[in-house]
Amino acid sequence: MINQYIKLFCLFLCSAALIMLSGCYTYFEPDLESTPVVCLNSLITDGKQITVEVTRTWRYSETRPENKILDVDLRNAEVSLYIDDKFEEKMVLVSDTNRFGEISNYFEANYIPKSGDKIKIHAIDKTYGEAEAEITVPFPIDIDYVNTNIKKNDASYAKDAFSSTFDMILNVYFTDPASENNYYIFDMPTYESILYESEDSYFHVPIAESVSLRPDYSFEPIFSEHISPLETIISDAYGLYTVFSDRQFSGKQYCLEIPVHGSYKCDYTNHPDLENKLTVDIQLSHITTDYYSYMLSLWAVTEGVSGALGGVGLGDAVFEFSNVSTGAGIIAAQAVSTFKLNIHDILNSGN
């Protein structure tokens, strides 16, 4: 009951502030010095090719890049990759077009990073200057094993098909190394499918197997360790991020407990020799400290109380963390551990 009164009081304060700010207004351009700088963004993964987006910052009055009016890509930048303090190669500009006709520009390297590599990315643009950032790729921390506890399995069997709506608990076990502070992100897909191979059906390929998953991340307390008591009262703070640290279990085995609601379908009609190969990849990523700091700053800006108050001028502005020399962007790294689950086998075995 006390929490409800506190929440109502905070909502009252916010409403009062909005009323004070909703009177007569006029648009103006603050005459503040704001020189655009180079921005670097890259998530480097152990064993995968390195790509980096090279853009520039912009003034609020320039509109926004997502409106497709403002182009902030720095295609003529010179981007260099260094491994363990030694020059490796010049990264090459790649322009990809998706099926909606949207173009994405990024720089790509031939080098495949591995755990332990110290990686530096340095970019120079003739107009906006230069920027660089350096990180070390972490080592993977394996998922020991995954247990599944089926709580509900409303299965339907037919001659050529099997389907189910189910609830289950995923128990994901891993062991944290005690030698250092470690940071993690957990991830799992929300939809996976396998299509029939059909040469004469280009526009519509029947689905052989499919699974839809809806994990409830609010149930696992470690995902909310960064949320203050005040934020739990005022905002819907739970279940939004799956980033966490090892502060509560350093050097020990930990079990992530995640309820999942899902549906599964398997159709043998056009593929009688179907072998139920559909698997779901449960992923635990060991991430760099900078990546962790960036994710928490992103949460603070978009979901936290400080970000909300700063956004309406009632507190200091909250900014996203950056490890780039210009203060714009993030160069992060991760090593991913994957555990494969066969949903068909789980539902039919009850395990």
Side-chain angles (χ1 to χ4, degrees):
M1 181 64 71
I2 294 176
N3 286 349
Q4 291 178 346
Y5 284 134
I6 295 175
K7 187 171 184 177
L8 288 173
F9 178 69
C10 292
L11 291 174
F12 169 77
L13 290 179
C14 291
S15 299
L18 290 175
I19 290 173
M20 289 188 292
L21 295 172
S22 62
C24 297
Y25 63 90
T26 183
Y27 291 102
F28 72 101
E29 174 77 16
D31 188 18
L32 300 175
E33 183 178 352
S34 177
T35 303
V37 296
V38 177
C39 175
L40 303 178
N41 283 292
S42 177
L43 176 56
I44 299 170
T45 302
D46 171 33
K48 292 188 176 181
Q49 204 163 18
I50 299 173
T51 62
V52 57
E53 294 180 353
V54 183
T55 59
R56 67 166 178 87
T57 57
W58 65 93
R59 287 182 68 94
Y60 183 83
S61 58
E62 287 186 89
T63 189
R64 300 182 69 82
E66 50 262 45
N67 294 337
K68 311 305 178 186
I69 299 174
L70 181 64
D71 183 1
V72 296
D73 292 338
L74 302 182
R75 300 176 186 82
N76 295 320
E78 183 179 283
V79 184
S80 301
L81 175 68
Y82 294 81
I83 306 297
D84 296 331
D85 298 322
K86 295 181 180 179
F87 173 78
E88 179 67 27
E89 61 180 295
K90 294 289 185 184
M91 300 182 71
V92 178
L93 177 67
V94 177
S95 296
D96 279 341
T97 304
N98 64 21
R99 61 193 181 95
F100 301 106
E102 298 171 334
I103 300 175
S104 58
N105 299 294
Y106 56 88
F107 288 81
E108 184 177 73
N110 290 318
Y111 183 82
I112 304 299
K114 60 184 183 298
S115 295
D117 283 346
K118 184 169 73 171
I119 295 177
K120 182 173 76 172
I121 297 175
H122 182 266
I124 301 177
D125 182 82
K126 292 181 179 179
T127 303
Y128 300 104
E130 58 187 294
E132 68 177 25
E134 183 178 274
I135 53 91
T136 299
V137 182
F139 287 84
I141 296 177
D142 292 337
I143 296 174
D144 296 333
Y145 58 94
V146 176
N147 285 340
T148 57
N149 183 5
I150 302 297
K151 295 296 185 180
K152 183 186 76 171
N153 183 5
D154 293 337
S156 174
Y157 296 87
K159 179 181 178 180
D160 297 316
F162 166 70
S163 64
S164 171
T165 300
F166 60 91
D167 291 322
M168 68 178 178
I169 302 292
L170 280 182
N171 292 304
V172 182
Y173 292 84
F174 65 98
T175 302
D176 177 76
S179 58
E180 58 185 4
N181 296 327
N182 296 296
Y183 304 94
Y184 302 90
I185 287 181
F186 175 82
D187 191 29
M188 63 181 295
T190 57
Y191 180 80
E192 291 287 349
S193 66
I194 293 180
L195 305 179
Y196 291 126
E197 295 181 3
S198 177
E199 296 180 357
D200 59 349
S201 181
Y202 179 81
F203 293 102
H204 177 69
V205 180
I207 295 176
E209 279 186 279
S210 67
V211 61
S212 296
L213 302 171
R214 193 169 67 207
D216 181 6
Y217 293 131
S218 66
F219 188 83
E220 171 51 59
I222 202 68
F223 293 152
S224 58
E225 65 173 354
H226 60 281
I227 302 174
S228 71
L230 177 61
E231 285 161 332
T232 64
I233 296 171
I234 295 178
S235 64
D236 294 328
Y238 291 98
L240 299 174
Y241 285 69
T242 57
V243 59
F244 60 99
S245 72
D246 67 346
R247 284 188 289 267
Q248 299 183 50
F249 55 87
S250 180
K252 301 176 182 177
Q253 187 180 71
Y254 189 80
C255 173
L256 297 171
E257 189 171 354
I258 304 168
V260 178
H261 175 75
S263 61
Y264 171 83
K265 293 181 180 180
C266 178
D267 185 359
Y268 303 91
T269 305
N270 298 314
H271 208 300
D273 59 341
L274 183 66
E275 298 178 2
N276 307 116
K277 296 181 178 179
L278 178 64
T279 58
V280 172
D281 287 348
I282 306 299
Q283 294 186 335
L284 180 70
S285 298
H286 185 202
I287 64 175
T288 53
T289 306
D290 287 349
Y291 192 9
Y292 176 78
S293 299
Y294 169 75
M295 292 299 294
L296 290 196
S297 71
L298 188 63
W299 184 90
V301 170
T302 58
E303 305 293 340
V305 172
S306 298
L309 294 176
V312 295
L314 299 178
D316 293 334
V318 179
F319 299 99
E320 296 171 7
F321 173 86
S322 174
N323 62 355
V324 180
S325 58
T326 58
I330 180 73
I331 301 296
Q334 63 179 359
V336 182
S337 173
T338 301
F339 191 98
K340 293 185 178 294
L341 291 179
N342 187 302
I343 300 297
H344 179 275
D345 290 352
I346 291 172
L347 294 175
N348 282 276
S349 65
N351 297 322

